[in-house]
Amino acid sequence: MVPHEVEITVLGSGGWFATHRHTTSVLVRTPTGSLLLDAGTGAGLAAAGAAGPLGRNVHVVLTHFHLDHVIGLACLPALGADTRIEVWGPGRVLGSATEAILDGLFATPLFPTPLRSFIADVHELDVGANDIGGTQIDVRHQERHPGGSVGLRIGDFAFITDTEPDPGTVDFVAGCGILMHEAWQAVQPVPGHSAAREVAQLASLAQVGSLVLSHVHPMQDAPEALLAAARPTFPATRVASDLLRLG
Ligand SMILES: [Zn+2]
């Protein structure tokens, strides 16, 4: 089970571009502050207060740097100067530098406000255990997405996105209460991404408590099709929606 003092709310359940679903972001509230796992356009819901107050300390943890996972950083100045925002990125894990990548996006002429005017600090994630604002987050390098990505685990909650089905995920998420995993579409394998049917097999092998499908394709996001592909193998499957509370 996810510890009862941790609250998990989906902010963006889609991938690529926003439709009725925002792009990827998940809010994890802990006793010491708020974590945003990825900052797609869903991060704007948190910045606008739709998921309740975030507190004075917000840590943004990025799985990779594709725009549908980082563009919502542009919304975070709305939290105001009293909120201390720190970003944790996988730049070093993926062969680059997090701050340099984000500096290239959040600076003129693309954005009027320099990154460091609203982000207090930028850190590199490490593979393995990371202490992020008093919360331990385990990180795994995923090599089956263009440019790579990282999987995240916070206690009994695992967040796996932007990867083809990866056998290494099974050990990483084994036994967790909630696995949130990308499912780009229902059945057909797609380079760089996962299909719901394949994800259900991973969830079954890892013996997780429940599976939440997210980062769905903006034009193939019917929950019925995703569930029909996953539930025969793993019945305890849901499809994420924006502002869905997971635990
Ligand atoms: Zn991606």
Side-chain angles (χ1 to χ4, degrees):
M1 294 291 293
V2 174
H4 63 269
E5 66 271 23
V6 174
E7 293 177 15
I8 303 166
T9 306
V10 179
L11 299 171
S13 56
W16 189 7
F17 58 86
T19 53
H20 63 98
R21 297 177 186 276
H22 279 288
T23 69
T24 301
S25 189
V26 179
L27 170 63
V28 179
R29 258 201 204 86
T30 76
T32 55
S34 294
L35 304 165
L36 291 176
L37 310 184
D38 276 339
T41 64
L45 289 177
L54 300 186
R56 294 199 161 205
N57 294 295
V58 175
H59 295 269
V60 184
V61 184
L62 302 174
T63 63
H64 63 310
F65 299 102
H66 287 168
L67 283 175
D68 54 337
H69 296 255
V70 304
I71 198 68
L73 288 170
C75 307
L76 298 187
L79 292 172
D82 289 343
T83 303
R84 178 180 173 83
I85 308 167
E86 299 181 40
V87 172
W88 300 72
R92 190 164 59 207
V93 174
L94 304 181
S96 187
T98 294
E99 185 157 7
I101 294 169
L102 297 177
D103 269 342
L105 185 57
F106 297 100
T108 55
L110 294 178
F111 193 63
T113 310
L115 182 78
R116 280 309 196 112
S117 68
F118 63 100
I119 301 295
D121 213 344
V122 179
H123 311 271
E124 294 291 353
L125 292 169
D126 292 315
V127 168
N130 296 258
D131 181 343
I132 297 181
T135 298
Q136 179 175 318
I137 298 188
D138 295 311
V139 170
R140 177 176 177 271
H141 184 191
Q142 303 172 147
E143 299 179 347
R144 300 187 179 206
H145 187 64
S149 60
V150 295
L152 306 174
R153 181 165 179 170
I154 306 171
D156 276 354
F157 175 63
F159 178 57
I160 307 295
T161 194
D162 286 47
T163 176
E164 291 180 15
D166 186 337
T169 297
V170 175
D171 281 347
F172 185 66
V173 307
C176 70
I178 300 173
L179 167 61
M180 187 169 176
H181 197 297
E182 76 139 278
W184 189 232
Q185 54 181 303
V187 175
Q188 192 69 33
V190 180
H193 287 287
S194 301
R197 186 162 68 183
E198 303 166 318
V199 174
Q201 291 165 354
L202 287 178
S204 179
L205 288 170
Q207 298 185 319
V208 303
S210 67
L211 172 63
V212 180
L213 302 176
S214 66
H215 196 278
V216 299
H217 191 292
M219 292 142 75
Q220 300 176 48
D221 68 346
E224 300 78 16
L226 297 164
L227 293 174
R231 280 183 169 165
T233 302
F234 196 80
T237 302
R238 292 177 283 174
V239 176
S241 56
D242 297 1
L243 295 178
L244 176 68
R245 174 93 178 267
L246 297 182

